Amino acid sequence: MKYLFGAPGTVSGLLLRVGQCLVASASIGAMASAFGFSNYTAFCYLIASMGLQVLWSFGLACLDAYALRIKRNLQSPVLVSLFVVGDWVTATLSLAAACSSAGIMVLYAKDLNFCRSQPQIPCSRFQISIALAFITWFLIAISSFIMFWLLASV
Amino acid sequence: MKYLFGAPGTVSGLLLRVGQCLVASASIGAMASAFGFSNYTAFCYLIASMGLQVLWSFGLACLDAYALRIKRNLQSPVLVSLFVVGDWVTATLSLAAACSSAGIMVLYAKDLNFCRSQPQIPCSRFQISIALAFITWFLIAISSFIMFWLLASV
């Protein structure tokens, strides 16, 4: 078993998963509390993608905690392949969701100047949610690289 | 030297790079020929990102062709690390550009129904350009995975 930072079944891996879970939940919270988000397909997709991320990271956090408790090795090729596929899929979906929402936000805030002229649009909440989605993507990208590295060297 | 599909210095690698170059150029062409694209930050960013992709892929295609001609091995750890970093950076930028533009397109075509109500917006050209950007991302993602795999097993 390799004690790489963030590898499955290590304390750093568990912390990384818990971090992903918390930031993604905060992103969902900020978006869901913004009035009128459901009028935008991209913002609904952001919530769906962050929801999937929470489920995936929470599942792996539980697995990491269990492995740490019973001191079990999680780094078999089959398990690591599964983690790699899941991590890459959720990472790509998170980046896609964050970027499509950011595209709309830049359009509203900069190109059309709606954030100033139409104060009923909760721009700041949207922006906080999108920023948190980007942080989630960054954290899951770290996990994805570590998993891929582990798989290639297993 | 490994003869992995798409590895640097092989015929498949050269074809993959040429394909990236062509599709990215077509995406730029479709976007630049659409009237009024410069009013949207995301569409300008798409052109910038695809331009960077063309430069990177063209450079590597030339390098592949040169290596094939003089039968030189390009798979040293230093060179492969450079390819990995470049490929991952351009792949992430391409996906971000394609998704942010797609976010705006979904907003216009579905949420606000502008494509029907305002026929002066060249929706179909924007859509073609975005679709080509996604294809470019897919091709560069293949290269990125191959390079990362090579680096981990060099």
Side-chain angles (χ1 to χ4, degrees), chain B residues 6 13-14 16 18 20 37 39-40 48 50 53 59 65-66 83 85 92-93 96-98 104 124 126 138 147 150 154:
Chain B
L14 176 62
L16 203 57
V18 171
Q20 290 161 11
F37 80 91
N39 297 332
Y40 304 90
M50 288 295 120
Q53 187 63 63
Y66 174 72
F83 297 157
V85 173
T92 310
L93 292 179
I104 292 182
S124 54
F126 288 154
F138 182 72
M147 292 297 164
L150 265 181
V154 148

Side-chain angles (χ1 to χ4, degrees), chain A residues 23-148:
Chain A
V23 181
S25 310
S27 174
I28 294 178
M31 187 54 84
S33 68
F35 175 75
F37 79 91
S38 57
N39 297 332
Y40 304 90
T41 309
F43 294 163
C44 297
Y45 170 51
L46 184 85
I47 289 195
S49 163
M50 288 295 121
L52 177 70
Q53 187 63 63
V54 168
L55 288 179
W56 172 255
S57 294
F58 183 72
L60 288 203
C62 292
L63 197 64
D64 277 348
Y66 174 73
L68 276 172
R69 202 187 154 96
I70 63 163
K71 295 191 187 355
R72 183 142 173 225
N73 185 356
L74 286 180
Q75 299 182 13
S76 72
V78 177
L79 268 182
V80 174
S81 320
L82 189 77
F83 297 157
V84 166
V85 174
D87 270 353
W88 279 104
V89 170
T90 54
T92 309
L93 293 179
S94 295
L95 180 63
C99 288
S100 53
S101 304
I104 292 183
M105 214 55 250
V106 170
L107 180 77
Y108 272 28
K110 190 169 165 286
D111 302 341
L112 303 177
N113 220 357
F114 271 6
C115 287
R116 241 180 234 176
S117 63
Q118 303 198 9
Q120 79 276 16
I121 298 176
C123 280
S124 55
R125 278 184 193 250
F126 288 154
Q127 283 164 346
I128 291 170
S129 172
I130 293 167
L132 289 169
F134 273 110
I135 297 174
T136 306
W137 166 71
F138 182 71
L139 293 176
I140 185 81
I142 296 174
S143 284
S144 310
F145 270 100
I146 294 164
M147 292 298 164
F148 198 64

